[in-house]
Amino acid sequence: MTTVFEAAGGTEGILRLAHAWHERVLADEVVSHAFSHGFRPDHTVRLAAYWSEALGGPAAYSGSYGDETSVVRIHSGNGEHDEMNRRAVDCFDVALVDADLAGDDRLRGVLHDYFAWATWNTMYQHSGEAIPDGMSIPRWSWDGLEEP
């Protein structure tokens, strides 16, 4: 069986999705607030590397940019933002269509479930101080979260 990464078109497909999602969130009046302080010019490339690794692809993110601890710390300490989370997931669902990844119901469902889980459970801790060192990027398969 192929990985979710392979089914999504590999590096090219995930990069299309990262670009589509980034465009959607920048256009959203609520979610775009997360980027109001600016963002790295290579944000979508880094995002695609992260998603690729999380979805069963190569260790492109951890091999070049950092580990899960660094990702979670960047996104933490901003308090709860339920509306932003909901809208970010909505943007992701539309980005799946934009990136031509919504045609297969199983793939679309797994990608949605991954992104919703990551948004609500890993990315936005309440305090960066409580995040341990050395965390690895969670891996997601056709069956959901894989045990480390």
Side-chain angles (χ1 to χ4, degrees):
M1 177 184 286
T2 63
T3 64
V4 176
F5 166 77
E6 292 165 333
T11 302
E12 182 181 310
I14 298 296
L15 186 56
R16 270 195 332 269
L17 178 58
H19 281 293
W21 181 78
H22 193 77
E23 286 180 17
R24 288 284 174 179
V25 298
L26 289 179
D28 184 280
E29 64 187 42
V30 173
V31 187
S32 63
H33 174 74
F35 296 96
S36 62
H37 62 283
F39 52 89
R40 297 177 62 99
D42 64 346
H43 178 262
T44 55
V45 171
R46 293 167 69 96
L47 180 61
Y50 180 87
W51 286 347
S52 293
E53 186 167 341
L55 296 169
Y61 191 89
S62 61
S64 298
Y65 303 114
D67 61 8
E68 181 71 1
T69 298
S70 63
V71 173
V72 174
R73 284 180 179 158
I74 288 169
H75 292 91
S76 294
N78 297 309
E80 292 186 36
H81 38 71
D82 292 343
E83 181 181 4
M84 185 181 292
N85 287 353
R86 276 191 297 279
R87 290 174 75 131
V89 173
D90 290 345
C91 287
F92 185 83
D93 289 340
V94 178
L96 288 169
V97 174
D98 296 342
D100 295 324
L101 293 173
D104 178 315
D105 289 342
R106 184 173 183 221
L107 177 61
R108 183 179 66 234
V110 166
L111 290 170
H112 165 88
D113 290 349
Y114 161 72
F115 187 79
W117 173 83
T119 299
W120 288 96
N121 294 292
T122 66
M123 284 295 127
Y124 304 107
Q125 305 294 319
H126 297 289
S127 169
E129 297 168 12
I131 300 164
D133 291 330
M135 294 169 58
S136 59
I137 294 173
R139 302 285 289 214
W140 197 266
S141 73
W142 293 103
D143 298 320
L145 182 63
E146 295 180 351
E147 292 298 319

